[in-house]
Amino acid sequence: MTDNGDALHLTGGIPLGGTVKIRGSKNAVPKLMVAALLTEEPVLIQNISQIVDTRLVTELLEVLGCTTAQPVDGRLRIEARDVHTAATRDLEYFHVRSRIPVLTCAPLLHRTGHAEVWKPGGCSIGERPVDLHLEVLRAFGAMSERTDTGFKLTAEVGGLKGAVVELKYPSVGATEQFLLGAVVAAGDSELRNAATEPEIIDLISMLQRMGALITVQPGRVIQVTGVSRLRGVSHTAIPDRLEAASWASLALATDGRITVRGVRQADLGTYLNVYRRAGGEFDFSSDGNEVTFWREKSMPRPLVVETDVHPGFMTDWQSPMITALTQADGVTVLHETVHENRLAYGKALQALGAQMQVFTECLGRTPCRFGSRNHQHSAVVVGPTKLQGTNVHVPDLRAGFSYVLAALAAQGDSTVTGVSLLDRGYENFREKLICVGAKLR
Ligand code: EPZ
C-alpha cells in the first residue's frame, strides 16, 4: 500500500486478518472536551483518539482562553479558568469545519454571555441544520440576533434559566446542547424526545462527576436541576462503537478474521444481532473489551436494514455493512431514516461493480421524515457481485471507510482518493489497515 496522504493504493481480494486497538469515540470525546468549559478547575479526559475533531476542538478551546496540555497516551488536560469569547472571524474558522463548535454556545453563554451560531455549512450527508440547537438556547433565555452568517446570541453571564424543551426529532447535537446549558441554568429543566445514544450517556456520566444533577427518565425524557458550580473531573471516554463496527464489516466483506481491542459490548448490541443475521460471527473476551469478528457462513446473507436513533441500528453503521452485503447471496434492502443524503457511496460501489439502486421511497416500516421529500434514502443491493478494483473518491467519513472496505473486497488494484477525510474518525487507520494485512499494490 502506498499513500501520498490523500490517495490510498490498495490491492483487494485477500481475506484480512489481524488485531486493531480502538480508543475513545469520535462522537463522544469532542463533547467531553466542550464540557470542560463549564468549570474553572482542571479536567482530564482519557482514552482520547488523535483525530481531526479532537485537534480542532483543542485549538478552539485555546482560542477561547483555555489552557490545554499536548495529549500524552490518550490523556488530554484542559483548564478553562479564564474563558472569553473570540472574534467572529476566529470562531468562524472552527464552526465551518466541524459540527462540534456549535456545542460551545451554551457553555459560552453561561461563562461570557456571548455566543455565535453559523448557518450550517451542510456536508455530504445532509443539510445538518442547527435549528434545534437555537430552540434550546432561546428556551434557556438567550437573545438571538440574525447576522449574515447565522446568529449572535447573548445572555446574562451565569443567567441561563431552566426550561422545558420538546425536540421534534431526537437530535444528538441538540440533546448535548441542552445538557451543556441545563446543568448550570437556574432551576429545573426537562428535555422531551431526547437522544439517548451511548455518547450522550457518557457526557451525562462526566457531568454527573462534575457535580451536575441529571436524571434520564423512561420515554426519552431527561430532567436536570441546575447547580451553581461544577468541579474538575478525570473521565475516560467510551470506546468508538462506530469504528469497531467498521472493522467488523471489513472482516465480513473480505471473509477475514479481525480482532478489535478496547470495545464495550453493550454499545454494539444492535449491531451484533445484525452482524450475526448477515452471516457473521463474533467472540468476546470475558470482560467484553476485546472481540474477534469473522464470516461464519460461506457467503454473507442478505438483510433488510433500517437505521434509526438509539437503540436502533445506528446510521453510521450502515455504509460499511451494506458494502459488505454486496457479497451477500441475495437481495438486501436499506432504509436510512436519520440523515437524508447518506447513500452517495452507492455510486462508488457501482463503479466497483456492485448492483445498488437508490430510491426516494421509504423501503421500510420505520417512520421517516424523508419519504415525500425526494431524498434518495433507500436502496436495494443485489448480491453477490464480484467487485473489480478501480479509482474512487471519498464523499464523507463513514462512506469513506466503505470505499476502502469495498476496494479491499474487490479483485485487483484500486486507488481511493480523498482518504484524508478518514482522519476525522479513524485514528491511525493506515497503520491499522497494515495490521489487518491490507496489501501493497
Ligand atoms: C451526531 O451528529 C454524530 N456526529 C453523527 O455521526 C451521527 O450520525 C448523528 O449524531 C446521529 O446519530 C457527532 O456526534 C459529531 P443529529 P449530529 O443532531 O448531532 C436533524 C459520523 O459519521 N437536525 O442527531 O449532527 C439532522 O438534520 C457522524 O460519526 C435538525 O433538523 O446528529 C439529522 O437529520 C455523521 N436540526 C437528524 O436531526 C438540528 O438542529 C440527526 O441529527 C439538529 C439536527
Side-chain angles (χ1 to χ4, degrees), residues 26-27 31 99-100 125 128-133 168-173 242 314-316 338-340 342 369 397-398:
K26 158 195 169 297
N27 291 355
K31 291 72 173 280
R99 295 273 300 167
I100 311 296
I125 67 175
R128 310 299 289 279
V130 290
D131 57 318
L132 300 181
H133 293 256
K168 70 179 179 190
Y169 185 80
S171 153
V172 167
L242 310 171
M314 167 70 173
T315 171
D316 302 342
V338 177
H339 293 293
E340 66 268 28
R342 197 156 204 186
R369 297 158 290 151
L397 171 64
R398 301 302 168 185

PDB file of all heavy atoms in Angstrom, residues 26-27 31 99-100 125 128-133 168-173 242 314-316 338-340 342 369 397-398, ligand 1:
ATOM      1  N   LYS A  26     -15.173   9.021  18.549  1.00  0.00           N
ATOM      2  CA  LYS A  26     -15.127  10.316  17.852  1.00  0.00           C
ATOM      3  C   LYS A  26     -16.366  11.131  18.188  1.00  0.00           C
ATOM      4  O   LYS A  26     -16.336  12.355  18.215  1.00  0.00           O
ATOM      5  CB  LYS A  26     -15.077  10.060  16.352  1.00  0.00           C
ATOM      6  CG  LYS A  26     -15.555  11.254  15.520  1.00  0.00           C
ATOM      7  CD  LYS A  26     -15.843  10.869  14.118  1.00  0.00           C
ATOM      8  CE  LYS A  26     -16.564  11.941  13.357  1.00  0.00           C
ATOM      9  NZ  LYS A  26     -17.904  12.274  13.871  1.00  0.00           N
ATOM     10  N   ASN A  27     -17.492  10.445  18.471  1.00  0.00           N
ATOM     11  CA  ASN A  27     -18.735  11.173  18.714  1.00  0.00           C
ATOM     12  C   ASN A  27     -18.987  11.407  20.201  1.00  0.00           C
ATOM     13  O   ASN A  27     -20.039  11.881  20.579  1.00  0.00           O
ATOM     14  CB  ASN A  27     -19.917  10.425  18.085  1.00  0.00           C
ATOM     15  CG  ASN A  27     -19.830  10.469  16.571  1.00  0.00           C
ATOM     16  OD1 ASN A  27     -18.945  11.138  16.036  1.00  0.00           O
ATOM     17  ND2 ASN A  27     -20.699   9.764  15.894  1.00  0.00           N
ATOM     18  N   LYS A  31     -17.200  16.249  22.661  1.00  0.00           N
ATOM     19  CA  LYS A  31     -18.248  16.837  23.507  1.00  0.00           C
ATOM     20  C   LYS A  31     -17.794  16.908  24.956  1.00  0.00           C
ATOM     21  O   LYS A  31     -18.123  17.835  25.682  1.00  0.00           O
ATOM     22  CB  LYS A  31     -19.537  16.014  23.412  1.00  0.00           C
ATOM     23  CG  LYS A  31     -20.302  16.037  22.079  1.00  0.00           C
ATOM     24  CD  LYS A  31     -19.639  15.280  20.987  1.00  0.00           C
ATOM     25  CE  LYS A  31     -20.455  15.163  19.713  1.00  0.00           C
ATOM     26  NZ  LYS A  31     -21.480  14.153  19.702  1.00  0.00           N
ATOM     27  N   ARG A  99     -19.012  20.019  13.246  1.00  0.00           N
ATOM     28  CA  ARG A  99     -20.323  20.152  13.904  1.00  0.00           C
ATOM     29  C   ARG A  99     -20.154  20.386  15.404  1.00  0.00           C
ATOM     30  O   ARG A  99     -21.117  20.645  16.108  1.00  0.00           O
ATOM     31  CB  ARG A  99     -21.124  18.860  13.723  1.00  0.00           C
ATOM     32  CG  ARG A  99     -21.493  18.522  12.338  1.00  0.00           C
ATOM     33  CD  ARG A  99     -22.769  19.153  11.909  1.00  0.00           C
ATOM     34  NE  ARG A  99     -23.923  18.757  12.722  1.00  0.00           N
ATOM     35  CZ  ARG A  99     -25.088  19.387  12.661  1.00  0.00           C
ATOM     36  NH1 ARG A  99     -25.210  20.451  11.919  1.00  0.00           N
ATOM     37  NH2 ARG A  99     -26.123  18.984  13.376  1.00  0.00           N
ATOM     38  N   ILE A 100     -18.935  20.251  15.913  1.00  0.00           N
ATOM     39  CA  ILE A 100     -18.761  20.322  17.369  1.00  0.00           C
ATOM     40  C   ILE A 100     -18.835  21.752  17.897  1.00  0.00           C
ATOM     41  O   ILE A 100     -19.489  22.009  18.900  1.00  0.00           O
ATOM     42  CB  ILE A 100     -17.414  19.687  17.787  1.00  0.00           C
ATOM     43  CG1 ILE A 100     -17.216  18.326  17.148  1.00  0.00           C
ATOM     44  CG2 ILE A 100     -17.331  19.605  19.307  1.00  0.00           C
ATOM     45  CD1 ILE A 100     -18.193  17.274  17.550  1.00  0.00           C
ATOM     46  N   ILE A 125     -23.726  14.464   3.888  1.00  0.00           N
ATOM     47  CA  ILE A 125     -24.799  13.510   4.243  1.00  0.00           C
ATOM     48  C   ILE A 125     -26.118  14.211   4.489  1.00  0.00           C
ATOM     49  O   ILE A 125     -27.109  13.610   4.824  1.00  0.00           O
ATOM     50  CB  ILE A 125     -24.405  12.653   5.472  1.00  0.00           C
ATOM     51  CG1 ILE A 125     -24.300  13.516   6.736  1.00  0.00           C
ATOM     52  CG2 ILE A 125     -23.117  11.904   5.214  1.00  0.00           C
ATOM     53  CD1 ILE A 125     -24.026  12.684   7.987  1.00  0.00           C
ATOM     54  N   ARG A 128     -27.679  19.269   7.674  1.00  0.00           N
ATOM     55  CA  ARG A 128     -27.158  19.397   9.047  1.00  0.00           C
ATOM     56  C   ARG A 128     -27.583  20.726   9.692  1.00  0.00           C
ATOM     57  O   ARG A 128     -26.760  21.518  10.120  1.00  0.00           O
ATOM     58  CB  ARG A 128     -25.648  19.241   9.086  1.00  0.00           C
ATOM     59  CG  ARG A 128     -25.092  18.028   8.373  1.00  0.00           C
ATOM     60  CD  ARG A 128     -25.563  16.693   8.897  1.00  0.00           C
ATOM     61  NE  ARG A 128     -25.070  16.296  10.184  1.00  0.00           N
ATOM     62  CZ  ARG A 128     -23.877  15.740  10.399  1.00  0.00           C
ATOM     63  NH1 ARG A 128     -23.050  15.562   9.399  1.00  0.00           N
ATOM     64  NH2 ARG A 128     -23.504  15.380  11.618  1.00  0.00           N
ATOM     65  N   PRO A 129     -28.856  21.053   9.757  1.00  0.00           N
ATOM     66  CA  PRO A 129     -29.306  22.323  10.339  1.00  0.00           C
ATOM     67  C   PRO A 129     -29.013  22.404  11.840  1.00  0.00           C
ATOM     68  O   PRO A 129     -28.677  21.392  12.467  1.00  0.00           O
ATOM     69  CB  PRO A 129     -30.804  22.309  10.089  1.00  0.00           C
ATOM     70  CG  PRO A 129     -31.167  20.883   9.956  1.00  0.00           C
ATOM     71  CD  PRO A 129     -29.980  20.204   9.347  1.00  0.00           C
ATOM     72  N   VAL A 130     -29.128  23.611  12.379  1.00  0.00           N
ATOM     73  CA  VAL A 130     -28.905  23.811  13.826  1.00  0.00           C
ATOM     74  C   VAL A 130     -30.129  24.463  14.467  1.00  0.00           C
ATOM     75  O   VAL A 130     -30.032  25.021  15.563  1.00  0.00           O
ATOM     76  CB  VAL A 130     -27.639  24.658  14.086  1.00  0.00           C
ATOM     77  CG1 VAL A 130     -26.379  23.880  13.745  1.00  0.00           C
ATOM     78  CG2 VAL A 130     -27.711  25.979  13.330  1.00  0.00           C
ATOM     79  N   ASP A 131     -31.293  24.353  13.808  1.00  0.00           N
ATOM     80  CA  ASP A 131     -32.497  24.990  14.351  1.00  0.00           C
ATOM     81  C   ASP A 131     -32.860  24.469  15.741  1.00  0.00           C
ATOM     82  O   ASP A 131     -33.324  25.227  16.604  1.00  0.00           O
ATOM     83  CB  ASP A 131     -33.674  24.820  13.385  1.00  0.00           C
ATOM     84  CG  ASP A 131     -33.942  23.356  13.069  1.00  0.00           C
ATOM     85  OD1 ASP A 131     -32.974  22.589  12.854  1.00  0.00           O
ATOM     86  OD2 ASP A 131     -35.120  22.955  13.055  1.00  0.00           O
ATOM     87  N   LEU A 132     -32.603  23.192  15.995  1.00  0.00           N
ATOM     88  CA  LEU A 132     -32.957  22.630  17.316  1.00  0.00           C
ATOM     89  C   LEU A 132     -31.998  23.148  18.395  1.00  0.00           C
ATOM     90  O   LEU A 132     -32.389  23.366  19.542  1.00  0.00           O
ATOM     91  CB  LEU A 132     -32.941  21.099  17.263  1.00  0.00           C
ATOM     92  CG  LEU A 132     -33.920  20.469  16.257  1.00  0.00           C
ATOM     93  CD1 LEU A 132     -33.826  18.947  16.300  1.00  0.00           C
ATOM     94  CD2 LEU A 132     -35.340  20.941  16.500  1.00  0.00           C
ATOM     95  N   HIS A 133     -30.735  23.388  18.004  1.00  0.00           N
ATOM     96  CA  HIS A 133     -29.789  23.994  18.959  1.00  0.00           C
ATOM     97  C   HIS A 133     -30.287  25.384  19.346  1.00  0.00           C
ATOM     98  O   HIS A 133     -30.295  25.759  20.518  1.00  0.00           O
ATOM     99  CB  HIS A 133     -28.402  24.108  18.313  1.00  0.00           C
ATOM    100  CG  HIS A 133     -27.742  22.792  18.039  1.00  0.00           C
ATOM    101  ND1 HIS A 133     -26.736  22.299  18.804  1.00  0.00           N
ATOM    102  CD2 HIS A 133     -27.960  21.868  17.072  1.00  0.00           C
ATOM    103  CE1 HIS A 133     -26.337  21.120  18.343  1.00  0.00           C
ATOM    104  NE2 HIS A 133     -27.070  20.834  17.280  1.00  0.00           N
ATOM    105  N   LYS A 168     -38.444  18.104  18.073  1.00  0.00           N
ATOM    106  CA  LYS A 168     -39.283  17.493  17.018  1.00  0.00           C
ATOM    107  C   LYS A 168     -38.630  16.189  16.531  1.00  0.00           C
ATOM    108  O   LYS A 168     -39.272  15.338  15.922  1.00  0.00           O
ATOM    109  CB  LYS A 168     -39.468  18.468  15.849  1.00  0.00           C
ATOM    110  CG  LYS A 168     -38.212  18.686  15.037  1.00  0.00           C
ATOM    111  CD  LYS A 168     -38.395  19.635  13.860  1.00  0.00           C
ATOM    112  CE  LYS A 168     -37.053  19.810  13.120  1.00  0.00           C
ATOM    113  NZ  LYS A 168     -37.026  20.849  12.133  1.00  0.00           N
ATOM    114  N   TYR A 169     -37.322  16.067  16.810  1.00  0.00           N
ATOM    115  CA  TYR A 169     -36.603  14.848  16.417  1.00  0.00           C
ATOM    116  C   TYR A 169     -35.505  14.618  17.470  1.00  0.00           C
ATOM    117  O   TYR A 169     -34.891  15.594  17.923  1.00  0.00           O
ATOM    118  CB  TYR A 169     -35.974  15.028  15.025  1.00  0.00           C
ATOM    119  CG  TYR A 169     -35.318  13.760  14.508  1.00  0.00           C
ATOM    120  CD1 TYR A 169     -36.077  12.739  13.930  1.00  0.00           C
ATOM    121  CD2 TYR A 169     -33.948  13.563  14.650  1.00  0.00           C
ATOM    122  CE1 TYR A 169     -35.478  11.567  13.491  1.00  0.00           C
ATOM    123  CE2 TYR A 169     -33.347  12.397  14.221  1.00  0.00           C
ATOM    124  CZ  TYR A 169     -34.109  11.396  13.647  1.00  0.00           C
ATOM    125  OH  TYR A 169     -33.531  10.232  13.227  1.00  0.00           O
ATOM    126  N   PRO A 170     -35.265  13.387  17.897  1.00  0.00           N
ATOM    127  CA  PRO A 170     -34.278  13.159  18.972  1.00  0.00           C
ATOM    128  C   PRO A 170     -32.851  13.406  18.493  1.00  0.00           C
ATOM    129  O   PRO A 170     -32.044  12.490  18.352  1.00  0.00           O
ATOM    130  CB  PRO A 170     -34.505  11.704  19.370  1.00  0.00           C
ATOM    131  CG  PRO A 170     -35.174  11.061  18.221  1.00  0.00           C
ATOM    132  CD  PRO A 170     -35.913  12.127  17.480  1.00  0.00           C
ATOM    133  N   SER A 171     -32.540  14.663  18.273  1.00  0.00           N
ATOM    134  CA  SER A 171     -31.222  15.076  17.768  1.00  0.00           C
ATOM    135  C   SER A 171     -30.140  14.876  18.826  1.00  0.00           C
ATOM    136  O   SER A 171     -30.264  15.349  19.965  1.00  0.00           O
ATOM    137  CB  SER A 171     -31.292  16.566  17.382  1.00  0.00           C
ATOM    138  OG  SER A 171     -30.015  17.175  17.480  1.00  0.00           O
ATOM    139  N   VAL A 172     -29.046  14.211  18.437  1.00  0.00           N
ATOM    140  CA  VAL A 172     -27.906  14.015  19.348  1.00  0.00           C
ATOM    141  C   VAL A 172     -27.325  15.373  19.721  1.00  0.00           C
ATOM    142  O   VAL A 172     -27.165  15.698  20.901  1.00  0.00           O
ATOM    143  CB  VAL A 172     -26.845  13.117  18.668  1.00  0.00           C
ATOM    144  CG1 VAL A 172     -25.522  13.153  19.422  1.00  0.00           C
ATOM    145  CG2 VAL A 172     -27.364  11.689  18.523  1.00  0.00           C
ATOM    146  N   GLY A 173     -27.054  16.197  18.738  1.00  0.00           N
ATOM    147  CA  GLY A 173     -26.421  17.502  19.000  1.00  0.00           C
ATOM    148  C   GLY A 173     -27.284  18.388  19.855  1.00  0.00           C
ATOM    149  O   GLY A 173     -26.809  19.022  20.812  1.00  0.00           O
ATOM    150  N   LEU A 242     -18.512   2.920  16.515  1.00  0.00           N
ATOM    151  CA  LEU A 242     -18.684   3.040  15.067  1.00  0.00           C
ATOM    152  C   LEU A 242     -17.453   2.488  14.370  1.00  0.00           C
ATOM    153  O   LEU A 242     -17.541   1.779  13.378  1.00  0.00           O
ATOM    154  CB  LEU A 242     -18.921   4.499  14.697  1.00  0.00           C
ATOM    155  CG  LEU A 242     -20.018   5.152  15.552  1.00  0.00           C
ATOM    156  CD1 LEU A 242     -20.090   6.618  15.324  1.00  0.00           C
ATOM    157  CD2 LEU A 242     -21.336   4.463  15.354  1.00  0.00           C
ATOM    158  N   MET A 314     -27.620   2.016  14.152  1.00  0.00           N
ATOM    159  CA  MET A 314     -27.039   3.356  14.048  1.00  0.00           C
ATOM    160  C   MET A 314     -26.743   3.728  12.587  1.00  0.00           C
ATOM    161  O   MET A 314     -26.195   2.914  11.836  1.00  0.00           O
ATOM    162  CB  MET A 314     -25.764   3.305  14.883  1.00  0.00           C
ATOM    163  CG  MET A 314     -24.794   4.415  14.743  1.00  0.00           C
ATOM    164  SD  MET A 314     -25.461   5.853  15.453  1.00  0.00           S
ATOM    165  CE  MET A 314     -24.144   6.972  15.393  1.00  0.00           C
ATOM    166  N   THR A 315     -27.106   4.919  12.230  1.00  0.00           N
ATOM    167  CA  THR A 315     -26.892   5.377  10.851  1.00  0.00           C
ATOM    168  C   THR A 315     -25.433   5.248  10.426  1.00  0.00           C
ATOM    169  O   THR A 315     -25.145   4.907   9.277  1.00  0.00           O
ATOM    170  CB  THR A 315     -27.359   6.834  10.682  1.00  0.00           C
ATOM    171  OG1 THR A 315     -26.961   7.313   9.410  1.00  0.00           O
ATOM    172  CG2 THR A 315     -26.810   7.743  11.752  1.00  0.00           C
ATOM    173  N   ASP A 316     -24.484   5.432  11.358  1.00  0.00           N
ATOM    174  CA  ASP A 316     -23.066   5.378  10.976  1.00  0.00           C
ATOM    175  C   ASP A 316     -22.582   3.952  10.758  1.00  0.00           C
ATOM    176  O   ASP A 316     -21.461   3.734  10.324  1.00  0.00           O
ATOM    177  CB  ASP A 316     -22.201   6.032  12.055  1.00  0.00           C
ATOM    178  CG  ASP A 316     -22.603   7.474  12.290  1.00  0.00           C
ATOM    179  OD1 ASP A 316     -23.288   8.046  11.424  1.00  0.00           O
ATOM    180  OD2 ASP A 316     -22.280   8.010  13.351  1.00  0.00           O
ATOM    181  N   VAL A 338     -32.177   8.529   9.309  1.00  0.00           N
ATOM    182  CA  VAL A 338     -31.619   9.583  10.169  1.00  0.00           C
ATOM    183  C   VAL A 338     -31.074  10.757   9.365  1.00  0.00           C
ATOM    184  O   VAL A 338     -31.362  11.921   9.625  1.00  0.00           O
ATOM    185  CB  VAL A 338     -30.514   8.998  11.085  1.00  0.00           C
ATOM    186  CG1 VAL A 338     -29.868  10.101  11.923  1.00  0.00           C
ATOM    187  CG2 VAL A 338     -31.110   7.920  12.000  1.00  0.00           C
ATOM    188  N   HIS A 339     -30.238  10.444   8.361  1.00  0.00           N
ATOM    189  CA  HIS A 339     -29.687  11.516   7.500  1.00  0.00           C
ATOM    190  C   HIS A 339     -30.266  11.351   6.100  1.00  0.00           C
ATOM    191  O   HIS A 339     -30.318  10.220   5.581  1.00  0.00           O
ATOM    192  CB  HIS A 339     -28.164  11.426   7.439  1.00  0.00           C
ATOM    193  CG  HIS A 339     -27.492  11.715   8.741  1.00  0.00           C
ATOM    194  ND1 HIS A 339     -27.512  12.952   9.331  1.00  0.00           N
ATOM    195  CD2 HIS A 339     -26.801  10.899   9.578  1.00  0.00           C
ATOM    196  CE1 HIS A 339     -26.850  12.900  10.473  1.00  0.00           C
ATOM    197  NE2 HIS A 339     -26.404  11.680  10.651  1.00  0.00           N
ATOM    198  N   GLU A 340     -30.607  12.508   5.489  1.00  0.00           N
ATOM    199  CA  GLU A 340     -31.377  12.422   4.232  1.00  0.00           C
ATOM    200  C   GLU A 340     -30.537  12.076   3.008  1.00  0.00           C
ATOM    201  O   GLU A 340     -31.053  11.657   1.991  1.00  0.00           O
ATOM    202  CB  GLU A 340     -32.129  13.732   3.984  1.00  0.00           C
ATOM    203  CG  GLU A 340     -31.266  14.965   3.705  1.00  0.00           C
ATOM    204  CD  GLU A 340     -30.939  15.744   4.967  1.00  0.00           C
ATOM    205  OE1 GLU A 340     -30.892  15.113   6.057  1.00  0.00           O
ATOM    206  OE2 GLU A 340     -30.710  16.970   4.870  1.00  0.00           O
ATOM    207  N   ARG A 342     -27.380  10.015   2.599  1.00  0.00           N
ATOM    208  CA  ARG A 342     -26.251   9.251   3.098  1.00  0.00           C
ATOM    209  C   ARG A 342     -25.958   8.023   2.219  1.00  0.00           C
ATOM    210  O   ARG A 342     -25.276   7.105   2.654  1.00  0.00           O
ATOM    211  CB  ARG A 342     -26.550   8.821   4.541  1.00  0.00           C
ATOM    212  CG  ARG A 342     -25.302   8.397   5.218  1.00  0.00           C
ATOM    213  CD  ARG A 342     -25.321   8.484   6.689  1.00  0.00           C
ATOM    214  NE  ARG A 342     -23.937   8.593   7.127  1.00  0.00           N
ATOM    215  CZ  ARG A 342     -23.560   8.586   8.379  1.00  0.00           C
ATOM    216  NH1 ARG A 342     -24.474   8.489   9.331  1.00  0.00           N
ATOM    217  NH2 ARG A 342     -22.294   8.690   8.702  1.00  0.00           N
ATOM    218  N   ARG A 369     -38.787  10.901   7.920  1.00  0.00           N
ATOM    219  CA  ARG A 369     -39.112  12.276   7.523  1.00  0.00           C
ATOM    220  C   ARG A 369     -38.837  12.528   6.039  1.00  0.00           C
ATOM    221  O   ARG A 369     -39.079  13.614   5.546  1.00  0.00           O
ATOM    222  CB  ARG A 369     -38.246  13.252   8.345  1.00  0.00           C
ATOM    223  CG  ARG A 369     -38.512  13.177   9.829  1.00  0.00           C
ATOM    224  CD  ARG A 369     -37.327  13.701  10.586  1.00  0.00           C
ATOM    225  NE  ARG A 369     -36.188  12.788  10.480  1.00  0.00           N
ATOM    226  CZ  ARG A 369     -34.928  13.178  10.539  1.00  0.00           C
ATOM    227  NH1 ARG A 369     -34.642  14.457  10.657  1.00  0.00           N
ATOM    228  NH2 ARG A 369     -33.938  12.303  10.456  1.00  0.00           N
ATOM    229  N   LEU A 397     -17.164  10.688   5.783  1.00  0.00           N
ATOM    230  CA  LEU A 397     -16.319   9.860   6.655  1.00  0.00           C
ATOM    231  C   LEU A 397     -16.686   8.383   6.628  1.00  0.00           C
ATOM    232  O   LEU A 397     -15.877   7.521   6.306  1.00  0.00           O
ATOM    233  CB  LEU A 397     -16.450  10.402   8.084  1.00  0.00           C
ATOM    234  CG  LEU A 397     -15.821   9.567   9.186  1.00  0.00           C
ATOM    235  CD1 LEU A 397     -14.324   9.510   8.971  1.00  0.00           C
ATOM    236  CD2 LEU A 397     -16.154  10.150  10.526  1.00  0.00           C
ATOM    237  N   ARG A 398     -17.956   8.058   6.963  1.00  0.00           N
ATOM    238  CA  ARG A 398     -18.279   6.636   7.094  1.00  0.00           C
ATOM    239  C   ARG A 398     -18.307   5.982   5.715  1.00  0.00           C
ATOM    240  O   ARG A 398     -17.923   4.832   5.557  1.00  0.00           O
ATOM    241  CB  ARG A 398     -19.632   6.455   7.813  1.00  0.00           C
ATOM    242  CG  ARG A 398     -19.689   7.047   9.186  1.00  0.00           C
ATOM    243  CD  ARG A 398     -18.633   6.499  10.149  1.00  0.00           C
ATOM    244  NE  ARG A 398     -18.574   7.307  11.362  1.00  0.00           N
ATOM    245  CZ  ARG A 398     -17.685   7.123  12.326  1.00  0.00           C
ATOM    246  NH1 ARG A 398     -16.788   6.185  12.209  1.00  0.00           N
ATOM    247  NH2 ARG A 398     -17.673   7.888  13.381  1.00  0.00           N
TER     248      ARG A 398
HETATM  249  C1  EPZ B   1     -24.182  13.079  15.535  1.00  0.00           C
HETATM  250  O1  EPZ B   1     -24.409  14.111  14.605  1.00  0.00           O
HETATM  251  C2  EPZ B   1     -22.962  12.325  15.036  1.00  0.00           C
HETATM  252  N1  EPZ B   1     -21.842  13.250  14.954  1.00  0.00           N
HETATM  253  C3  EPZ B   1     -23.253  11.708  13.668  1.00  0.00           C
HETATM  254  O2  EPZ B   1     -22.123  10.947  13.296  1.00  0.00           O
HETATM  255  C4  EPZ B   1     -24.433  10.765  13.784  1.00  0.00           C
HETATM  256  O3  EPZ B   1     -24.738  10.248  12.501  1.00  0.00           O
HETATM  257  C5  EPZ B   1     -25.630  11.542  14.341  1.00  0.00           C
HETATM  258  O4  EPZ B   1     -25.291  12.146  15.601  1.00  0.00           O
HETATM  259  C6  EPZ B   1     -26.843  10.651  14.560  1.00  0.00           C
HETATM  260  O5  EPZ B   1     -26.522   9.654  15.485  1.00  0.00           O
HETATM  261  C7  EPZ B   1     -21.201  13.600  16.085  1.00  0.00           C
HETATM  262  O6  EPZ B   1     -21.545  13.193  17.171  1.00  0.00           O
HETATM  263  C8  EPZ B   1     -20.034  14.524  15.904  1.00  0.00           C
HETATM  264  P1  EPZ B   1     -28.301  14.822  14.969  1.00  0.00           P
HETATM  265  P2  EPZ B   1     -25.496  15.264  14.928  1.00  0.00           P
HETATM  266  O7  EPZ B   1     -28.376  16.200  15.522  1.00  0.00           O
HETATM  267  O8  EPZ B   1     -25.506  15.572  16.376  1.00  0.00           O
HETATM  268  C9  EPZ B   1     -31.528  16.765  12.219  1.00  0.00           C
HETATM  269  C10 EPZ B   1     -20.302  10.315  11.953  1.00  0.00           C
HETATM  270  O9  EPZ B   1     -20.106   9.810  10.854  1.00  0.00           O
HETATM  271  N2  EPZ B   1     -31.295  18.016  12.973  1.00  0.00           N
HETATM  272  O10 EPZ B   1     -28.796  13.671  15.776  1.00  0.00           O
HETATM  273  O11 EPZ B   1     -25.276  16.366  13.981  1.00  0.00           O
HETATM  274  C11 EPZ B   1     -30.372  16.479  11.271  1.00  0.00           C
HETATM  275  O12 EPZ B   1     -30.539  17.186  10.063  1.00  0.00           O
HETATM  276  C12 EPZ B   1     -21.360  11.383  12.154  1.00  0.00           C
HETATM  277  O13 EPZ B   1     -19.705   9.998  13.003  1.00  0.00           O
HETATM  278  C13 EPZ B   1     -32.142  19.091  12.770  1.00  0.00           C
HETATM  279  O14 EPZ B   1     -33.078  19.007  11.984  1.00  0.00           O
HETATM  280  O15 EPZ B   1     -26.831  14.483  14.528  1.00  0.00           O
HETATM  281  C14 EPZ B   1     -30.467  14.981  11.059  1.00  0.00           C
HETATM  282  O16 EPZ B   1     -31.415  14.698  10.026  1.00  0.00           O
HETATM  283  C15 EPZ B   1     -22.178  11.547  10.903  1.00  0.00           C
HETATM  284  N3  EPZ B   1     -31.910  20.251  13.433  1.00  0.00           N
HETATM  285  C16 EPZ B   1     -31.037  14.476  12.385  1.00  0.00           C
HETATM  286  O17 EPZ B   1     -31.546  15.628  13.086  1.00  0.00           O
HETATM  287  C17 EPZ B   1     -30.885  20.390  14.335  1.00  0.00           C
HETATM  288  O18 EPZ B   1     -30.737  21.484  14.946  1.00  0.00           O
HETATM  289  C18 EPZ B   1     -29.987  13.820  13.246  1.00  0.00           C
HETATM  290  O19 EPZ B   1     -29.025  14.808  13.528  1.00  0.00           O
HETATM  291  C19 EPZ B   1     -30.025  19.287  14.543  1.00  0.00           C
HETATM  292  C20 EPZ B   1     -30.255  18.110  13.848  1.00  0.00           C
END
